[in-house]
Structure formats: structure tokens, C-alpha cells
Amino acid sequence: MSAVVRVLDRRPAWLRAAVALVLLAVAAVIPQLGSTFYVSLGLNFLIFGLLAMSLDLIGGYTGLVSLGQAAFLGVGAYGIAWGLKQGLSADASIGLALLAVVVTALVFGLAAVRVGGITFVILTLALGQIIWGLAYRWVSVSGGDNGLPISDRPGLGPIDLTDSAAYYYFVLVIFVICVLILRAIVNSPFGLTLRGIKDNEPRMRTLGYHVGLHKYLAFVIAAFFSGVAGVLFGFFNLYISPTAIDFGHNGTVVLMAVLGGLGTLWGPLLGSLVIVFLQQYLSIYVQRWVTVQGVIFVLVVLFAPDGLWGLLTRMGRWLTKRLGAPPGVEPCLAERSVVGTYEDDLA
Amino acid sequence: MSAVEDGTSALRLVGVSRRFGGITAVADVDLEVRVGARHGIIGPNGAGKTTLFNVISGELKATRGRIELFGREITRHSPPARVALGLGRTYQITRPFVHLTVRENLTIGSHGLSRSKFSLFRSWRSYRARNLEVEELAHRFGLADRLDSPVSDLSHGEVRQLEVALALTLRPRLLLLDEPGAGLSPGERVSMRTLLHSLPPELTLVMIEHDMDLVRDVVNRITVLHFGEVVAEGPTAEIQSDPRVREIYLGSKR
């Protein structure tokens, strides 16, 4: 027993790979359940999970929480809709959409990364509202309140993506690729830089870092992945309207990331799973699901300030400590002090 | 005098002032530190010592005057640009990255002046040469078995040592030490002294310190600041017997 626990505690690479494979297998089985509802649930989870993870890069790792991240999803989705409407090919429309996302981020980022803290939150909120306002009012381009239809999903070679199960697998593959890239980024020297900036920005300057440039790059990279989520979102719904990028949806993305735990990549993914489940599943059975969502959020903020992911890892550590401690040996000497206080709470 | 001192200037301030509104924190300071020198800056609280460091490191811009680093004018340079020219500093109020581990702290420093800091897809743990460098530095500073501890778990003395180690990851040619001995226990003071003595002789040091034992031990030239102005400068022994310095520290007889 204690040997097993010790392996769990060390979390070796093969164990993490095994967990990832199991989760992937679960994700791959969903379309086989034969219900389009579950496929749609899964697609929502993958797309919003990617969006929440992209927010985490700028919000959780760099410490700049953006209230305008859904706007980049909007630019991505509107980009393909507009491209297709102009008669461009699907590939060209996707290219155009992602280019539009990057250009928007390059322009907005110039303003956004000059400020920090709450000012950044408000500024990104305003920038997000600009995109929403354009979508709502620039009728000749965006279709205004009616939104734009997206004619059809492109095929992928011989694979017909109009079938929702096939599209689900396509999204799953893109999702996994994006997650691998995001994970590589947060583990790179650049990712370490972002954590340093979040922790102590002035110190980064006297260690030779041009902090603004790093924040700018992080902002644009995060926006790019939100744009990828937007392209997937557009081809999923085959329709985009201003509602998808209104203030509420920008807030929901932040909610997902905070609920799951900022700065962990997996936390926001977990958060999006919970929120998508509440919105799409619980809402069928519980009329007051928004209240449930609110209560869960308040509880998490009060009792797990580092989010559901933080709560899980702390519980895991507590369990391994309880079960895995060889007699007479004090385990985990170098644990963080927060763990101590948490255990004191439990005692 | 250090053997490496070769007469060229590492740091030169000409008439440097820094004002905050109506208050002049640093007033018309002239200072010359030669390459390889060990220079102390002393003065009572509020004398403008740390402000002077902030002006040299670029965190504050000089209101007036001219700053040269190894013969190049840097008066308008940004802090990272000055770091790239060989300037390193530590802080009186220690400022490592408290949420990161010792290893992560030192690794950030070791990438600071290299293009590898923009590397996106390679794990920072896979840079062998830098890892060795970080481990060697941690070993020298008695932090080898703390490499994977978060900084929030370190003792005050260990954080002070990390502070100096962090500045050294950039291999500076001029190091500004802001009260490296502040808040240390007598035992920790001894290890800090050993540590400062072990610094390479070609590294130019400018040190703010209140602990006169540490000052006497490490530096060979002292500048005395009072109300932002230089009131005395000279070899350590000369400064210690200077009546003006005694007056500043102990009050005038009247």
C-alpha cells in the first residue's frame, strides 16, 4: 500500500502519461455512446477548455487576468464566417481568421501590456467590448444582431467533418496538439519568465528582462489559442452572433479559469469541465442552475482560493502523507507552509 | 587595493541628482569606482543611499547628471539595458521570486542575458550547462539542498544568500550590494562575509552597509552620504577617523 502511495506522491512521468491516456480514452469513447447530446457536451468542453487554458497563459502564469479573452474567440469565429461569405475557401478563411486574431492581439496588446493589475482587467474588458460593439453594430460585415451563418464544415481529405462525431474527433486532435504546445510553453524558459513577471516584475528588469516584450508575446500567444478555439467554435455551431462574445461570456471564461485554479493549465481545464457541465447538463434538470453555479463559485473562492485543482492536489498530498508515511519518518519535509495550515484546518 | 584594479573606471557619476517633488534625495553626487575596487557607501538612514543605487540601476531616472558604466554613458538606459552592460544589484529588502523554488529563481537569472529566454518549446530543465551553473552557484552559497524548496520556505539568512546568488547568475562586472548583512544573525553574518570574500577579484563591488565590521572587512574605500550629498570619501581607515563622519553618526558637540 505505502509503496503505491509513494509512487503516487512522486508522480513519475509514466504515471502522468498513463493518466493522460486514460482521460484521452474517455474522451475518445464519448461519440460511441450514441448520443449527439454528449458529443455536443464534449465539444463545448474541449473548445471552452482550450479558451480557458489560453486565458491561463496570460492570467494565471503572467498575472494579467484578461476580461476580454472571449473577444478573440469571436474574431476567430467571425473571421471564418466572413471569409466564407466572401467566397473564400475554408482553408483560406481559417488562415484569414487566425491572421485577424493575431493582428487584433498585436494592436490591443500594445495598449494592454502597458498596465497591470486591475487596470489591465478593465482595459481588456473595454477592448473586448469594442469587438462586441463591432460585431453588434457593423452590420455590413458582421450581420449585426442576426450574426453570420457559417455555411459548412470543410472536409479533411476523405474525412467528412459534417458528421458531428467526426468533427468531435477532429476537435479532440487539435485540442491535444494545442495542450501539448501550451504545456511546452509554460515549461520553457519563456514560461518561467512569465511566472517571474507575475511574482516580481521590477526584479525581472534588473535581471536583464525587457518585461513588456515578454508580456506582449504572452498576450499574443494566448490570443492566438483563443482564436483557434474560436475557429473550432464557429465550425461547431455553424453560426456566430454577438451574444457569444458579450460581457457574460468573457466573464464565464475567467470564471472557468479561477474556479479551476489559475496558473496550473489543468485547473482551468477542470474549471471549464465543471462550468460546461453546469450550463449544458444541470440546466436541463435544475431550473436554478445559475444559483448552483454561484454557490459553487463562492464555496471555492472561500475554501479553495487556489481553485479546484489546488484543492485536489492538496487533498492528494494529504492522503499520500496519511497513507504513505513509513512509521517514524516525517514525510515531505520541504512542503509549503500553506499545506500545513490546511491540515491544521482539518485536524 | 585589489591586485586586479587597473585604473580604468567601472562606474562614474558626475553631478547626479534625484529629486522627488521638492525633496532632493540625491544631490549632485560625484563618484568614481575603479575596476576591481571594493567600494563602501555609508550614511545614516535617509541619506539617499538606496535611491542612489536605484538611479545607478535605472529603476529611477536621474533628474540631473551623468552616469557612466565601464566608460559608456548609461544615464538614459533602461534597467535591462544596464544589466546587459554588466551591472548587477541586490536589494536591501530582499526581492527574489517568493513563489518559485531556488532552482527556478536562479534559472531565471541564468537566462536573463541570453536569447534562450525567448525559447518557447524546450523545457527549461533540459538546459544542461545552465543547470550545472545553477547547481554550482547554489552549492557555493550553501543552498544546494534547498534547490527545490520554494523561497517562502527559506530562512532570512538563506534568502539573503539567494539574493546575492541571483545577482551573480548574470555574471555582472559591477555588483551593487544593498545591505547584504541586514537582519542577519551573527552566525549568518560570518557566512555572508566569507561569501563576499569569495567573490572573484575582478568583480567590482559597491556596497551599502550599516554593519561597520562587515564594511571594514570587505571594502577598501568609502563614500559617506548625508542628506543626499557626499560629505567625505577616502580609504576606509581615513574615513573612520574623519571628524565630520563621527559628527554625522554621533551628533555634533553643540
Side-chain angles (χ1 to χ4, degrees), chain B residues 40-42 180-182 184-190 192-194 196-197 207-220 222 236-237 240 249:
Chain B
I41 293 179
I42 64 169
L184 293 186
S185 71
E188 290 168 335
R189 234 163 248 271
V190 173
M192 179 58 75
R193 192 184 307 180
T194 322
L196 294 181
H197 272 295
M207 179 170 93
I208 295 174
E209 184 54 65
H210 281 299
D211 177 358
M212 281 312 289
D213 289 337
L214 197 57
V215 172
R216 259 195 301 272
D217 211 52
V218 177
V219 312
N220 42 35
I222 292 180
T236 311
Q240 276 184 293
Y249 272 94

PDB file of all heavy atoms in Angstrom, chain B residues 40-42 180-182 184-190 192-194 196-197 207-220 222 236-237 240 249:
ATOM      1  N   GLY B  40      32.628  51.069  -0.429  1.00  0.00           N
ATOM      2  CA  GLY B  40      31.512  51.099   0.516  1.00  0.00           C
ATOM      3  C   GLY B  40      30.784  52.432   0.453  1.00  0.00           C
ATOM      4  O   GLY B  40      31.394  53.464   0.203  1.00  0.00           O
ATOM      5  N   ILE B  41      29.471  52.388   0.649  1.00  0.00           N
ATOM      6  CA  ILE B  41      28.714  53.629   0.785  1.00  0.00           C
ATOM      7  C   ILE B  41      28.004  53.575   2.126  1.00  0.00           C
ATOM      8  O   ILE B  41      27.226  52.649   2.386  1.00  0.00           O
ATOM      9  CB  ILE B  41      27.698  53.799  -0.361  1.00  0.00           C
ATOM     10  CG1 ILE B  41      28.453  54.011  -1.674  1.00  0.00           C
ATOM     11  CG2 ILE B  41      26.768  54.974  -0.089  1.00  0.00           C
ATOM     12  CD1 ILE B  41      27.575  54.177  -2.874  1.00  0.00           C
ATOM     13  N   ILE B  42      28.323  54.537   2.987  1.00  0.00           N
ATOM     14  CA  ILE B  42      27.685  54.547   4.298  1.00  0.00           C
ATOM     15  C   ILE B  42      27.000  55.894   4.503  1.00  0.00           C
ATOM     16  O   ILE B  42      27.185  56.838   3.736  1.00  0.00           O
ATOM     17  CB  ILE B  42      28.686  54.279   5.440  1.00  0.00           C
ATOM     18  CG1 ILE B  42      29.718  55.399   5.530  1.00  0.00           C
ATOM     19  CG2 ILE B  42      29.395  52.940   5.245  1.00  0.00           C
ATOM     20  CD1 ILE B  42      30.570  55.327   6.792  1.00  0.00           C
ATOM     21  N   PRO B 180      23.823  43.788   2.389  1.00  0.00           N
ATOM     22  CA  PRO B 180      23.768  42.318   2.371  1.00  0.00           C
ATOM     23  C   PRO B 180      23.702  41.725   3.772  1.00  0.00           C
ATOM     24  O   PRO B 180      23.290  40.584   3.939  1.00  0.00           O
ATOM     25  CB  PRO B 180      25.063  41.922   1.656  1.00  0.00           C
ATOM     26  CG  PRO B 180      25.971  43.095   1.828  1.00  0.00           C
ATOM     27  CD  PRO B 180      25.084  44.299   1.847  1.00  0.00           C
ATOM     28  N   GLY B 181      24.080  42.501   4.783  1.00  0.00           N
ATOM     29  CA  GLY B 181      24.103  41.960   6.148  1.00  0.00           C
ATOM     30  C   GLY B 181      22.854  42.270   6.954  1.00  0.00           C
ATOM     31  O   GLY B 181      22.746  41.857   8.113  1.00  0.00           O
ATOM     32  N   ALA B 182      21.895  42.986   6.349  1.00  0.00           N
ATOM     33  CA  ALA B 182      20.745  43.448   7.136  1.00  0.00           C
ATOM     34  C   ALA B 182      19.939  42.287   7.698  1.00  0.00           C
ATOM     35  O   ALA B 182      19.568  41.371   6.978  1.00  0.00           O
ATOM     36  CB  ALA B 182      19.852  44.337   6.277  1.00  0.00           C
ATOM     37  N   LEU B 184      20.742  39.858   9.566  1.00  0.00           N
ATOM     38  CA  LEU B 184      21.349  38.541   9.712  1.00  0.00           C
ATOM     39  C   LEU B 184      21.767  38.287  11.160  1.00  0.00           C
ATOM     40  O   LEU B 184      22.139  39.210  11.882  1.00  0.00           O
ATOM     41  CB  LEU B 184      22.574  38.422   8.802  1.00  0.00           C
ATOM     42  CG  LEU B 184      22.321  38.433   7.296  1.00  0.00           C
ATOM     43  CD1 LEU B 184      23.619  38.163   6.555  1.00  0.00           C
ATOM     44  CD2 LEU B 184      21.271  37.404   6.915  1.00  0.00           C
ATOM     45  N   SER B 185      21.704  37.031  11.560  1.00  0.00           N
ATOM     46  CA  SER B 185      22.204  36.650  12.877  1.00  0.00           C
ATOM     47  C   SER B 185      23.740  36.685  12.831  1.00  0.00           C
ATOM     48  O   SER B 185      24.315  36.665  11.744  1.00  0.00           O
ATOM     49  CB  SER B 185      21.733  35.233  13.211  1.00  0.00           C
ATOM     50  OG  SER B 185      22.414  34.312  12.397  1.00  0.00           O
ATOM     51  N   PRO B 186      24.398  36.748  13.994  1.00  0.00           N
ATOM     52  CA  PRO B 186      25.870  36.794  13.979  1.00  0.00           C
ATOM     53  C   PRO B 186      26.485  35.650  13.177  1.00  0.00           C
ATOM     54  O   PRO B 186      27.445  35.855  12.437  1.00  0.00           O
ATOM     55  CB  PRO B 186      26.235  36.695  15.466  1.00  0.00           C
ATOM     56  CG  PRO B 186      25.049  37.247  16.174  1.00  0.00           C
ATOM     57  CD  PRO B 186      23.857  36.879  15.343  1.00  0.00           C
ATOM     58  N   GLY B 187      25.900  34.466  13.285  1.00  0.00           N
ATOM     59  CA  GLY B 187      26.420  33.313  12.547  1.00  0.00           C
ATOM     60  C   GLY B 187      26.278  33.510  11.050  1.00  0.00           C
ATOM     61  O   GLY B 187      27.196  33.250  10.273  1.00  0.00           O
ATOM     62  N   GLU B 188      25.088  33.990  10.654  1.00  0.00           N
ATOM     63  CA  GLU B 188      24.831  34.206   9.231  1.00  0.00           C
ATOM     64  C   GLU B 188      25.731  35.311   8.677  1.00  0.00           C
ATOM     65  O   GLU B 188      26.136  35.290   7.530  1.00  0.00           O
ATOM     66  CB  GLU B 188      23.355  34.580   9.009  1.00  0.00           C
ATOM     67  CG  GLU B 188      22.404  33.429   9.254  1.00  0.00           C
ATOM     68  CD  GLU B 188      20.943  33.869   9.325  1.00  0.00           C
ATOM     69  OE1 GLU B 188      20.674  35.039   9.658  1.00  0.00           O
ATOM     70  OE2 GLU B 188      20.072  33.042   9.054  1.00  0.00           O
ATOM     71  N   ARG B 189      26.039  36.287   9.542  1.00  0.00           N
ATOM     72  CA  ARG B 189      26.925  37.379   9.156  1.00  0.00           C
ATOM     73  C   ARG B 189      28.301  36.848   8.765  1.00  0.00           C
ATOM     74  O   ARG B 189      28.898  37.298   7.798  1.00  0.00           O
ATOM     75  CB  ARG B 189      27.095  38.303  10.365  1.00  0.00           C
ATOM     76  CG  ARG B 189      26.778  39.727  10.102  1.00  0.00           C
ATOM     77  CD  ARG B 189      26.571  40.407  11.434  1.00  0.00           C
ATOM     78  NE  ARG B 189      25.171  40.764  11.539  1.00  0.00           N
ATOM     79  CZ  ARG B 189      24.696  41.909  11.111  1.00  0.00           C
ATOM     80  NH1 ARG B 189      25.514  42.795  10.580  1.00  0.00           N
ATOM     81  NH2 ARG B 189      23.431  42.179  11.193  1.00  0.00           N
ATOM     82  N   VAL B 190      28.767  35.876   9.534  1.00  0.00           N
ATOM     83  CA  VAL B 190      30.082  35.298   9.239  1.00  0.00           C
ATOM     84  C   VAL B 190      30.053  34.620   7.876  1.00  0.00           C
ATOM     85  O   VAL B 190      30.958  34.805   7.060  1.00  0.00           O
ATOM     86  CB  VAL B 190      30.496  34.291  10.342  1.00  0.00           C
ATOM     87  CG1 VAL B 190      31.778  33.574   9.939  1.00  0.00           C
ATOM     88  CG2 VAL B 190      30.664  35.007  11.675  1.00  0.00           C
ATOM     89  N   MET B 192      28.059  35.272   5.417  1.00  0.00           N
ATOM     90  CA  MET B 192      27.934  36.297   4.378  1.00  0.00           C
ATOM     91  C   MET B 192      29.299  36.930   4.086  1.00  0.00           C
ATOM     92  O   MET B 192      29.648  37.167   2.935  1.00  0.00           O
ATOM     93  CB  MET B 192      26.913  37.362   4.815  1.00  0.00           C
ATOM     94  CG  MET B 192      26.710  38.497   3.815  1.00  0.00           C
ATOM     95  SD  MET B 192      26.160  37.975   2.168  1.00  0.00           S
ATOM     96  CE  MET B 192      24.434  37.578   2.477  1.00  0.00           C
ATOM     97  N   ARG B 193      30.062  37.151   5.159  1.00  0.00           N
ATOM     98  CA  ARG B 193      31.382  37.752   4.981  1.00  0.00           C
ATOM     99  C   ARG B 193      32.281  36.831   4.158  1.00  0.00           C
ATOM    100  O   ARG B 193      32.957  37.256   3.223  1.00  0.00           O
ATOM    101  CB  ARG B 193      32.007  38.005   6.361  1.00  0.00           C
ATOM    102  CG  ARG B 193      33.242  38.869   6.307  1.00  0.00           C
ATOM    103  CD  ARG B 193      33.869  39.008   7.668  1.00  0.00           C
ATOM    104  NE  ARG B 193      32.915  39.476   8.684  1.00  0.00           N
ATOM    105  CZ  ARG B 193      33.240  39.679   9.952  1.00  0.00           C
ATOM    106  NH1 ARG B 193      34.469  39.460  10.362  1.00  0.00           N
ATOM    107  NH2 ARG B 193      32.344  40.094  10.821  1.00  0.00           N
ATOM    108  N   THR B 194      32.264  35.536   4.511  1.00  0.00           N
ATOM    109  CA  THR B 194      33.053  34.556   3.761  1.00  0.00           C
ATOM    110  C   THR B 194      32.640  34.577   2.289  1.00  0.00           C
ATOM    111  O   THR B 194      33.476  34.525   1.378  1.00  0.00           O
ATOM    112  CB  THR B 194      32.800  33.143   4.317  1.00  0.00           C
ATOM    113  OG1 THR B 194      32.680  33.240   5.728  1.00  0.00           O
ATOM    114  CG2 THR B 194      33.900  32.196   3.929  1.00  0.00           C
ATOM    115  N   LEU B 196      31.207  37.026   0.586  1.00  0.00           N
ATOM    116  CA  LEU B 196      31.620  38.232  -0.133  1.00  0.00           C
ATOM    117  C   LEU B 196      33.114  38.176  -0.451  1.00  0.00           C
ATOM    118  O   LEU B 196      33.556  38.640  -1.486  1.00  0.00           O
ATOM    119  CB  LEU B 196      31.288  39.477   0.691  1.00  0.00           C
ATOM    120  CG  LEU B 196      29.789  39.738   0.896  1.00  0.00           C
ATOM    121  CD1 LEU B 196      29.575  41.006   1.715  1.00  0.00           C
ATOM    122  CD2 LEU B 196      29.054  39.830  -0.428  1.00  0.00           C
ATOM    123  N   HIS B 197      33.870  37.551   0.474  1.00  0.00           N
ATOM    124  CA  HIS B 197      35.300  37.422   0.219  1.00  0.00           C
ATOM    125  C   HIS B 197      35.590  36.471  -0.920  1.00  0.00           C
ATOM    126  O   HIS B 197      36.615  36.577  -1.579  1.00  0.00           O
ATOM    127  CB  HIS B 197      36.021  36.935   1.484  1.00  0.00           C
ATOM    128  CG  HIS B 197      36.426  38.050   2.373  1.00  0.00           C
ATOM    129  ND1 HIS B 197      37.354  38.993   1.997  1.00  0.00           N
ATOM    130  CD2 HIS B 197      36.012  38.414   3.610  1.00  0.00           C
ATOM    131  CE1 HIS B 197      37.495  39.868   2.964  1.00  0.00           C
ATOM    132  NE2 HIS B 197      36.683  39.545   3.952  1.00  0.00           N
ATOM    133  N   MET B 207      29.061  48.611  -2.114  1.00  0.00           N
ATOM    134  CA  MET B 207      28.238  48.031  -1.072  1.00  0.00           C
ATOM    135  C   MET B 207      27.715  49.090  -0.111  1.00  0.00           C
ATOM    136  O   MET B 207      28.487  49.883   0.435  1.00  0.00           O
ATOM    137  CB  MET B 207      29.062  46.997  -0.310  1.00  0.00           C
ATOM    138  CG  MET B 207      28.335  46.329   0.825  1.00  0.00           C
ATOM    139  SD  MET B 207      29.279  44.927   1.458  1.00  0.00           S
ATOM    140  CE  MET B 207      30.181  45.708   2.760  1.00  0.00           C
ATOM    141  N   ILE B 208      26.404  49.082   0.081  1.00  0.00           N
ATOM    142  CA  ILE B 208      25.812  49.882   1.153  1.00  0.00           C
ATOM    143  C   ILE B 208      25.752  48.977   2.367  1.00  0.00           C
ATOM    144  O   ILE B 208      25.304  47.831   2.261  1.00  0.00           O
ATOM    145  CB  ILE B 208      24.359  50.297   0.803  1.00  0.00           C
ATOM    146  CG1 ILE B 208      24.322  51.217  -0.406  1.00  0.00           C
ATOM    147  CG2 ILE B 208      23.697  50.957   2.012  1.00  0.00           C
ATOM    148  CD1 ILE B 208      22.919  51.541  -0.873  1.00  0.00           C
ATOM    149  N   GLU B 209      26.242  49.455   3.516  1.00  0.00           N
ATOM    150  CA  GLU B 209      26.152  48.588   4.688  1.00  0.00           C
ATOM    151  C   GLU B 209      26.226  49.441   5.960  1.00  0.00           C
ATOM    152  O   GLU B 209      26.952  50.415   6.029  1.00  0.00           O
ATOM    153  CB  GLU B 209      27.276  47.543   4.652  1.00  0.00           C
ATOM    154  CG  GLU B 209      27.242  46.520   5.758  1.00  0.00           C
ATOM    155  CD  GLU B 209      25.916  45.782   5.875  1.00  0.00           C
ATOM    156  OE1 GLU B 209      25.555  45.056   4.941  1.00  0.00           O
ATOM    157  OE2 GLU B 209      25.229  45.941   6.911  1.00  0.00           O
ATOM    158  N   HIS B 210      25.455  49.026   6.968  1.00  0.00           N
ATOM    159  CA  HIS B 210      25.500  49.710   8.254  1.00  0.00           C
ATOM    160  C   HIS B 210      26.463  49.025   9.220  1.00  0.00           C
ATOM    161  O   HIS B 210      26.977  49.648  10.130  1.00  0.00           O
ATOM    162  CB  HIS B 210      24.104  49.740   8.891  1.00  0.00           C
ATOM    163  CG  HIS B 210      23.225  50.789   8.301  1.00  0.00           C
ATOM    164  ND1 HIS B 210      23.540  52.125   8.362  1.00  0.00           N
ATOM    165  CD2 HIS B 210      22.053  50.708   7.628  1.00  0.00           C
ATOM    166  CE1 HIS B 210      22.588  52.819   7.763  1.00  0.00           C
ATOM    167  NE2 HIS B 210      21.679  51.986   7.298  1.00  0.00           N
ATOM    168  N   ASP B 211      26.642  47.729   9.000  1.00  0.00           N
ATOM    169  CA  ASP B 211      27.496  46.963   9.903  1.00  0.00           C
ATOM    170  C   ASP B 211      28.956  47.285   9.603  1.00  0.00           C
ATOM    171  O   ASP B 211      29.523  46.827   8.615  1.00  0.00           O
ATOM    172  CB  ASP B 211      27.204  45.463   9.693  1.00  0.00           C
ATOM    173  CG  ASP B 211      28.110  44.595  10.535  1.00  0.00           C
ATOM    174  OD1 ASP B 211      28.977  45.145  11.253  1.00  0.00           O
ATOM    175  OD2 ASP B 211      27.951  43.372  10.472  1.00  0.00           O
ATOM    176  N   MET B 212      29.582  48.104  10.461  1.00  0.00           N
ATOM    177  CA  MET B 212      30.937  48.587  10.165  1.00  0.00           C
ATOM    178  C   MET B 212      31.966  47.470  10.137  1.00  0.00           C
ATOM    179  O   MET B 212      32.978  47.573   9.443  1.00  0.00           O
ATOM    180  CB  MET B 212      31.353  49.679  11.171  1.00  0.00           C
ATOM    181  CG  MET B 212      30.754  51.048  10.871  1.00  0.00           C
ATOM    182  SD  MET B 212      30.930  51.566   9.129  1.00  0.00           S
ATOM    183  CE  MET B 212      32.687  51.895   9.062  1.00  0.00           C
ATOM    184  N   ASP B 213      31.703  46.375  10.885  1.00  0.00           N
ATOM    185  CA  ASP B 213      32.645  45.251  10.834  1.00  0.00           C
ATOM    186  C   ASP B 213      32.693  44.675   9.430  1.00  0.00           C
ATOM    187  O   ASP B 213      33.760  44.405   8.881  1.00  0.00           O
ATOM    188  CB  ASP B 213      32.213  44.156  11.830  1.00  0.00           C
ATOM    189  CG  ASP B 213      32.448  44.607  13.261  1.00  0.00           C
ATOM    190  OD1 ASP B 213      33.307  45.498  13.454  1.00  0.00           O
ATOM    191  OD2 ASP B 213      31.757  44.094  14.164  1.00  0.00           O
ATOM    192  N   LEU B 214      31.489  44.496   8.873  1.00  0.00           N
ATOM    193  CA  LEU B 214      31.392  43.947   7.521  1.00  0.00           C
ATOM    194  C   LEU B 214      32.024  44.915   6.517  1.00  0.00           C
ATOM    195  O   LEU B 214      32.765  44.506   5.617  1.00  0.00           O
ATOM    196  CB  LEU B 214      29.913  43.698   7.189  1.00  0.00           C
ATOM    197  CG  LEU B 214      29.604  42.777   6.013  1.00  0.00           C
ATOM    198  CD1 LEU B 214      30.239  41.414   6.204  1.00  0.00           C
ATOM    199  CD2 LEU B 214      28.100  42.624   5.838  1.00  0.00           C
ATOM    200  N   VAL B 215      31.762  46.211   6.705  1.00  0.00           N
ATOM    201  CA  VAL B 215      32.313  47.222   5.800  1.00  0.00           C
ATOM    202  C   VAL B 215      33.847  47.178   5.838  1.00  0.00           C
ATOM    203  O   VAL B 215      34.505  47.052   4.807  1.00  0.00           O
ATOM    204  CB  VAL B 215      31.813  48.633   6.192  1.00  0.00           C
ATOM    205  CG1 VAL B 215      32.544  49.703   5.384  1.00  0.00           C
ATOM    206  CG2 VAL B 215      30.305  48.741   5.970  1.00  0.00           C
ATOM    207  N   ARG B 216      34.404  47.265   7.053  1.00  0.00           N
ATOM    208  CA  ARG B 216      35.859  47.248   7.224  1.00  0.00           C
ATOM    209  C   ARG B 216      36.474  46.020   6.575  1.00  0.00           C
ATOM    210  O   ARG B 216      37.538  46.069   5.987  1.00  0.00           O
ATOM    211  CB  ARG B 216      36.211  47.221   8.719  1.00  0.00           C
ATOM    212  CG  ARG B 216      36.627  48.568   9.273  1.00  0.00           C
ATOM    213  CD  ARG B 216      37.285  48.382  10.619  1.00  0.00           C
ATOM    214  NE  ARG B 216      36.404  47.731  11.584  1.00  0.00           N
ATOM    215  CZ  ARG B 216      35.556  48.378  12.358  1.00  0.00           C
ATOM    216  NH1 ARG B 216      35.482  49.697  12.295  1.00  0.00           N
ATOM    217  NH2 ARG B 216      34.784  47.755  13.202  1.00  0.00           N
ATOM    218  N   ASP B 217      35.741  44.932   6.713  1.00  0.00           N
ATOM    219  CA  ASP B 217      36.255  43.651   6.264  1.00  0.00           C
ATOM    220  C   ASP B 217      36.274  43.530   4.741  1.00  0.00           C
ATOM    221  O   ASP B 217      37.131  42.873   4.182  1.00  0.00           O
ATOM    222  CB  ASP B 217      35.372  42.555   6.851  1.00  0.00           C
ATOM    223  CG  ASP B 217      36.163  41.307   7.088  1.00  0.00           C
ATOM    224  OD1 ASP B 217      37.204  41.421   7.749  1.00  0.00           O
ATOM    225  OD2 ASP B 217      35.754  40.254   6.584  1.00  0.00           O
ATOM    226  N   VAL B 218      35.297  44.128   4.088  1.00  0.00           N
ATOM    227  CA  VAL B 218      35.127  43.874   2.658  1.00  0.00           C
ATOM    228  C   VAL B 218      35.662  45.008   1.791  1.00  0.00           C
ATOM    229  O   VAL B 218      36.296  44.771   0.777  1.00  0.00           O
ATOM    230  CB  VAL B 218      33.636  43.594   2.324  1.00  0.00           C
ATOM    231  CG1 VAL B 218      33.449  43.399   0.828  1.00  0.00           C
ATOM    232  CG2 VAL B 218      33.143  42.369   3.090  1.00  0.00           C
ATOM    233  N   VAL B 219      35.429  46.253   2.207  1.00  0.00           N
ATOM    234  CA  VAL B 219      35.747  47.350   1.290  1.00  0.00           C
ATOM    235  C   VAL B 219      37.077  48.001   1.622  1.00  0.00           C
ATOM    236  O   VAL B 219      37.610  47.846   2.724  1.00  0.00           O
ATOM    237  CB  VAL B 219      34.641  48.428   1.272  1.00  0.00           C
ATOM    238  CG1 VAL B 219      33.284  47.791   1.124  1.00  0.00           C
ATOM    239  CG2 VAL B 219      34.686  49.279   2.523  1.00  0.00           C
ATOM    240  N   ASN B 220      37.626  48.738   0.664  1.00  0.00           N
ATOM    241  CA  ASN B 220      38.857  49.459   0.924  1.00  0.00           C
ATOM    242  C   ASN B 220      38.705  50.956   0.689  1.00  0.00           C
ATOM    243  O   ASN B 220      39.616  51.728   0.922  1.00  0.00           O
ATOM    244  CB  ASN B 220      40.013  48.893   0.083  1.00  0.00           C
ATOM    245  CG  ASN B 220      39.569  48.591  -1.332  1.00  0.00           C
ATOM    246  OD1 ASN B 220      38.731  49.314  -1.877  1.00  0.00           O
ATOM    247  ND2 ASN B 220      40.100  47.533  -1.906  1.00  0.00           N
ATOM    248  N   ILE B 222      35.611  54.242   0.995  1.00  0.00           N
ATOM    249  CA  ILE B 222      34.266  54.538   1.480  1.00  0.00           C
ATOM    250  C   ILE B 222      33.821  55.927   1.020  1.00  0.00           C
ATOM    251  O   ILE B 222      34.617  56.879   1.022  1.00  0.00           O
ATOM    252  CB  ILE B 222      34.207  54.474   3.028  1.00  0.00           C
ATOM    253  CG1 ILE B 222      34.401  53.023   3.491  1.00  0.00           C
ATOM    254  CG2 ILE B 222      32.867  54.993   3.552  1.00  0.00           C
ATOM    255  CD1 ILE B 222      34.353  52.855   4.995  1.00  0.00           C
ATOM    256  N   THR B 236      39.265  53.443   3.808  1.00  0.00           N
ATOM    257  CA  THR B 236      38.456  53.083   4.968  1.00  0.00           C
ATOM    258  C   THR B 236      38.980  53.689   6.272  1.00  0.00           C
ATOM    259  O   THR B 236      38.232  54.311   7.025  1.00  0.00           O
ATOM    260  CB  THR B 236      38.405  51.546   5.101  1.00  0.00           C
ATOM    261  OG1 THR B 236      38.074  51.017   3.830  1.00  0.00           O
ATOM    262  CG2 THR B 236      37.364  51.117   6.108  1.00  0.00           C
ATOM    263  N   ALA B 237      40.288  53.533   6.504  1.00  0.00           N
ATOM    264  CA  ALA B 237      40.853  53.985   7.778  1.00  0.00           C
ATOM    265  C   ALA B 237      40.694  55.500   7.942  1.00  0.00           C
ATOM    266  O   ALA B 237      40.316  55.995   9.003  1.00  0.00           O
ATOM    267  CB  ALA B 237      42.325  53.599   7.851  1.00  0.00           C
ATOM    268  N   GLN B 240      37.163  56.448   8.785  1.00  0.00           N
ATOM    269  CA  GLN B 240      36.755  56.100  10.144  1.00  0.00           C
ATOM    270  C   GLN B 240      37.195  57.126  11.163  1.00  0.00           C
ATOM    271  O   GLN B 240      36.558  57.323  12.186  1.00  0.00           O
ATOM    272  CB  GLN B 240      37.323  54.730  10.514  1.00  0.00           C
ATOM    273  CG  GLN B 240      36.426  53.615  10.010  1.00  0.00           C
ATOM    274  CD  GLN B 240      36.951  52.293  10.467  1.00  0.00           C
ATOM    275  OE1 GLN B 240      38.010  51.870  10.043  1.00  0.00           O
ATOM    276  NE2 GLN B 240      36.217  51.643  11.341  1.00  0.00           N
ATOM    277  N   TYR B 249      27.299  60.678  12.531  1.00  0.00           N
ATOM    278  CA  TYR B 249      26.769  59.479  13.176  1.00  0.00           C
ATOM    279  C   TYR B 249      26.428  59.714  14.638  1.00  0.00           C
ATOM    280  O   TYR B 249      25.477  59.168  15.163  1.00  0.00           O
ATOM    281  CB  TYR B 249      27.746  58.310  13.041  1.00  0.00           C
ATOM    282  CG  TYR B 249      27.517  57.551  11.766  1.00  0.00           C
ATOM    283  CD1 TYR B 249      28.243  57.834  10.618  1.00  0.00           C
ATOM    284  CD2 TYR B 249      26.534  56.555  11.698  1.00  0.00           C
ATOM    285  CE1 TYR B 249      28.016  57.156   9.438  1.00  0.00           C
ATOM    286  CE2 TYR B 249      26.298  55.880  10.531  1.00  0.00           C
ATOM    287  CZ  TYR B 249      27.043  56.175   9.402  1.00  0.00           C
ATOM    288  OH  TYR B 249      26.802  55.506   8.252  1.00  0.00           O
TER     289      TYR B 249
END
